Amino acid sequence: MKKILYSTMYSFKEIKNSKIFYSFLIFALILISGSYFVSQTSFISQGRIMVDFSIFAITIFNIFIGIFIGSSIVYDDIEKKSIFLSITRPVKRTEYLIGRFLGLTAAIIFSTVIMMLIFYFVLLIMHKYVIPLKPFAGQPTIYSLPQPLIIQALFIIIESVFIAAVALLFSLITSKALASIFTILVFFIGNVSSKMNDLVRPVKKIIGGKIVIVHQANHALTNIVHIIYAILPNFSIFNISSEAAYKIFISAGTVFYRIVYGLSYMVLLFIISSLIFTRKDIS
Amino acid sequence: MIELKNTTKYFRIGFFGIKKNAVENLSLTVEAGKVTGFFGPNGAGKSTTIKMIVGLVHPSNGIIKINGYDSMDYKARLNLGYLPENPSFPRGLKGIEIISYYSKLLNKKIDKNEIYDALKLAGIFYAKDIHAHKYSKGMTQRLALAISILGDPEILIFDEPLSGLDPIGRKEFKDIIFKLKERRKTIFFSSHVLADSKELCDKIAVLVNGRLIKNEGITAIEKEAEGYTEAKLNSSKNHERTPDTTKPEQDKDYRLIAEYNTPLEVYLYDLMRKNKKN
């Protein structure tokens, strides 16, 4: 257990010092700060534009971190041969892999927290979307983010770590570039699969008191879309930016179900990665 | 002690995955407390063998045991230090941070003084607070050596430890190996530089095309080498001269003997050359 902890800390430090991580973080921070100027293009709903724009920036840059660092965290270690000194210590390969993955998870949490903090300060300056809280009478007012925004931040972390697990798995069986491409594809399909699934459903109408199918997509296509929808993860459930923009309360049940969904997929992907990594020749 | 029994490693190459043997039916014992040199030309399978011993590569067939444990079991590495060929470290971390991390992966508690001792022995203590990506090749090699000797392991495996080092670096590195030899460590190192053989090794193993062609003690092999070189010199002297080779200096064997410093080097060179498939 201690070895996993040390490995996590070392990986986190390594990622934190990497150029790619800094670049994504700085870009995201520029975009979040720039959301103010974007919101000025509208006369109404400036706050909503800011929230939409910033949530998009935080999501996309964390997803990038998940994809690009996830596909290189073990791959580069093997390519640069720095892995040679790690796994020739009395360490199990799975321990090493868990350490690397948790290090990346810590880096994603770190970047999300930093981005959310900057976002919070921008909202605080604009005095939009922040909720005044007065815990005790006579004490200064504390401003908090609304519940859906905090839940959205949590979902961004889950989604990015999930994507990182996909990238890690691909990087163990193919090259870094291909792993990134495949992960982007999985992410894209995972985001549109539920919409596609809705599209191929038969269109029914009530005509003369009876339910009649007025349009039915090709059967083969329908089956393919259903299979993709069933097998590939549905990433769209982690996107609650509309709820966040309209401050719609997210129930605890929904949050719990989506977290369990994400974690179960991650564990499954990690077990497959671990099985591949244990059998892999590192030369 | 390291034991390899009928170890074979093949890799699948090309689109059809044709098997190609990197190491073929290798049986070798690395005795405790001795320095064993593992020699062979480039591509002979030395690094693959070492990677199988340290658990990086799975053997296709055969058994590899380290102190009784299977090489793929992490327990086999409880008392083992490994210095890879051309080691590298991640960006943005200082030498001391890197070695501290590796010290925590050992099953023993390593204190600061032990880390400093390893750094001092490897001659890199002065650069411990510099970021490792700013190190020269020699410095990186020294940091990797410090990591490999951390925790005072009983078995040390070095893969081409002297390659790419300048003459001063080579001399200093050899001195470190001598110090470790004095401490009765089991050292197994690979090299294709024959000059390293006599001064460092107690035992020599020669691998060519994945097959072990020699595995003997230094005294026996030296004796064999002397006889071989003498015979070669005599044949060179008695060689019928052609217009192209009017002087003995122009003879191929004579030139070979003149090029190498010791009969052992000449013998090992010829052994590798004769067994190498072209």
Side-chain angles (χ1 to χ4, degrees):
Chain A
M1 198 63 196
K2 266 187 183 173
K3 286 178 189 171
I4 295 175
L5 185 71
Y6 292 131
S7 195
T8 303
M9 280 155 56
Y10 183 75
S11 301
F12 174 65
K13 253 187 195 175
E14 192 189 321
I15 297 166
K16 199 165 61 69
N17 293 333
S18 70
K19 283 179 183 169
I20 184 165
F21 182 74
Y22 266 119
S23 319
F24 285 147
L25 195 61
I26 290 167
F27 252 107
L29 296 183
I30 291 169
L31 278 185
I32 295 163
S33 317
S35 66
Y36 164 73
F37 301 103
V38 177
S39 69
Q40 296 306 303
T41 56
S42 171
F43 291 109
I44 48 158
S45 325
Q46 288 182 346
R48 242 170 54 209
I49 292 173
M50 274 177 69
V51 169
D52 256 346
F53 192 79
S54 299
I55 290 294
F56 170 75
I58 296 170
T59 309
I60 207 72
F61 282 102
N62 274 301
I63 292 290
F64 280 169
I65 290 172
I67 294 173
F68 295 110
I69 302 184
S71 59
S72 64
I73 191 157
V74 175
Y75 188 87
D76 279 357
D77 229 10
I78 296 173
E79 280 293 291
K80 290 177 187 164
K81 298 177 179 178
S82 46
I83 196 171
F84 285 6
L85 282 164
S86 309
I87 59 169
T88 53
R89 309 262 100 188
V91 175
K92 289 176 190 158
R93 284 193 184 192
T94 314
E95 287 176 335
Y96 163 83
L97 201 64
I98 295 173
R100 294 303 271 172
F101 187 67
L102 290 182
L104 176 55
T105 306
I108 288 172
I109 295 171
F110 173 75
S111 77
T112 312
V113 169
I114 298 271
M115 289 178 198
M116 283 306 287
L117 272 177
I118 299 294
F119 179 41
Y120 169 72
F121 287 123
V122 172
L123 291 176
L124 200 64
I125 294 163
M126 294 297 298
H127 240 277
K128 282 186 178 7
Y129 272 79
V130 281
I131 304 162
L133 298 172
K134 231 176 191 175
F136 302 105
Q139 282 201 344
T141 316
I142 303 166
Y143 290 93
S144 157
L145 286 172
Q147 186 253 13
L149 267 181
I150 296 168
I151 301 297
Q152 176 64 86
L154 178 68
F155 281 174
I156 291 171
I157 292 171
I158 304 246
E159 191 181 14
S160 309
V161 177
F162 191 163
I163 278 291
V166 177
L168 176 70
L169 172 61
F170 282 132
S171 74
L172 292 174
I173 49 178
T174 182
S175 70
K176 190 165 80 172
L178 280 177
S180 304
I181 293 168
F182 291 156
T183 313
I184 291 169
L185 280 176
V186 169
F187 176 65
F188 177 74
I189 298 168
N191 263 300
V192 297
S193 64
S194 68
K195 288 187 185 92
M196 291 286 285
N197 199 43
D198 289 341
L199 277 176
V200 295
R201 275 199 187 134
V203 182
K204 295 168 184 171
K205 269 187 180 175
I206 301 170
I207 302 169
K210 282 183 182 173
I211 300 170
V212 180
I213 296 172
V214 290
H215 178 73
Q216 169 79 67
N218 177 305
H219 273 287
L221 181 74
T222 310
N223 288 336
I224 291 169
V225 171
H226 284 332
I227 290 168
I228 288 174
Y229 177 70
I231 294 173
L232 287 183
N234 181 7
F235 288 112
S236 62
I237 63 163
F238 299 114
N239 183 4
I240 51 162
S241 58
S242 321
E243 287 90 332
Y246 287 99
K247 295 185 196 168
I248 299 168
F249 185 80
I250 313 290
S251 71
T254 310
V255 176
F256 178 75
Y257 156 73
R258 291 179 189 188
I259 290 175
V260 169
Y261 177 84
L263 288 179
S264 325
Y265 251 111
M266 264 186 256
V267 170
L268 178 72
L269 288 171
F270 191 81
I271 290 170
I272 300 170
S273 299
S274 179
L275 289 173
I276 295 170
F277 188 63
T278 328
R279 282 160 181 75
K280 195 174 171 72
D281 279 342
I282 296 162
S283 54
Chain B
M1 192 166 81
I2 307 168
E3 279 176 286
L4 289 95
K5 274 185 198 160
N6 308 321
T7 308
T8 298
K9 178 67 196 175
Y10 58 76
F11 292 104
R12 292 193 179 272
I13 51 165
F15 183 75
F16 297 103
I18 297 160
K19 281 183 188 176
K20 190 178 185 303
N21 280 353
V23 176
E24 222 174 295
N25 213 22
L26 174 67
S27 295
L28 175 75
T29 304
V30 177
E31 286 165 38
K34 295 209 167 143
V35 180
T36 306
F38 197 38
F39 293 90
N42 288 331
K46 302 185 297 291
S47 290
T48 306
T49 307
I50 284 184
K51 281 173 189 162
M52 284 195 285
I53 294 172
V54 296
L56 288 168
V57 168
H58 297 250
S60 308
N61 284 311
I63 302 163
I64 303 176
K65 297 248 179 208
I66 302 170
N67 290 338
Y69 293 108
D70 186 88
S71 65
M72 294 312 292
D73 186 348
Y74 81 99
K75 285 180 197 152
R77 299 186 289 274
L78 285 172
N79 231 332
L80 184 143
Y82 167 57
L83 171 67
E85 187 184 4
N86 302 324
S88 85
F89 300 103
R91 283 186 69 86
L93 295 173
K94 289 174 187 170
I96 189 75
E97 288 175 322
I98 292 170
I99 195 167
S100 300
Y101 160 65
Y102 286 107
S103 74
K104 283 163 187 161
L105 295 183
L106 295 172
N107 276 28
K108 314 169 183 171
K109 197 164 166 47
I110 308 285
D111 62 30
K112 219 174 186 180
N113 290 332
E114 280 179 81
I115 293 176
Y116 287 172
D117 286 347
L119 287 168
K120 279 175 191 161
L121 181 64
I124 192 72
F125 182 74
Y126 70 96
K128 69 181 193 312
D129 293 318
I130 299 173
H131 283 103
H133 65 265
K134 291 178 185 162
Y135 280 9
S136 68
K137 185 179 163 56
M139 288 162 87
T140 309
Q141 191 93 339
R142 281 167 193 272
L143 180 63
L145 176 72
I147 291 167
S148 67
I149 58 176
L150 205 62
D152 201 22
E154 177 197 319
I155 302 169
L156 290 158
I157 297 175
F158 301 147
D159 193 0
E160 303 278 2
L162 307 170
S163 76
L165 293 178
D166 61 31
I168 302 165
R170 289 174 70 84
K171 166 80 178 67
E172 287 175 352
F173 231 87
K174 278 184 188 172
D175 289 343
I176 295 166
I177 296 177
F178 278 127
K179 275 184 200 165
L180 294 167
K181 192 177 173 180
E182 279 166 18
R183 292 189 196 173
R184 305 288 299 158
K185 300 282 174 202
T186 306
I187 302 173
F188 183 62
F189 78 94
S190 75
S191 179
H192 56 257
V193 184
L194 302 175
D196 303 337
S197 55
K198 195 187 169 186
E199 36 183 346
L200 294 173
C201 307
D202 295 318
K203 211 176 160 189
I204 285 174
V206 182
L207 193 76
V208 181
N209 295 324
R211 279 176 291 125
L212 190 71
I213 53 166
K214 205 88 200 166
N215 180 25
E216 277 173 47
I218 189 82
T219 327
I221 216 165
E222 255 188 318
K223 215 172 180 184
E224 222 172 290
E226 272 163 25
Y228 178 82
T229 316
E230 211 164 293
K232 218 172 170 59
L233 265 176
N234 287 338
S235 79
S236 178
K237 276 178 199 160
N238 303 331
H239 189 68
E240 208 177 291
R241 306 277 156 223
T242 62
D244 292 339
T245 57
T246 46
K247 291 176 188 170
E249 286 80 5
Q250 285 166 321
D251 189 83
K252 207 172 91 185
D253 286 341
Y254 191 94
R255 284 207 308 269
L256 173 69
I257 292 162
E259 195 182 325
Y260 287 104
N261 293 328
T262 61
L264 185 63
E265 286 177 58
V266 176
Y267 178 64
L268 289 175
Y269 169 82
D270 251 8
L271 200 64
M272 287 184 208
R273 189 173 55 91
K274 281 175 190 163
N275 286 281
K276 199 177 177 198
K277 284 180 213 156
N278 286 313

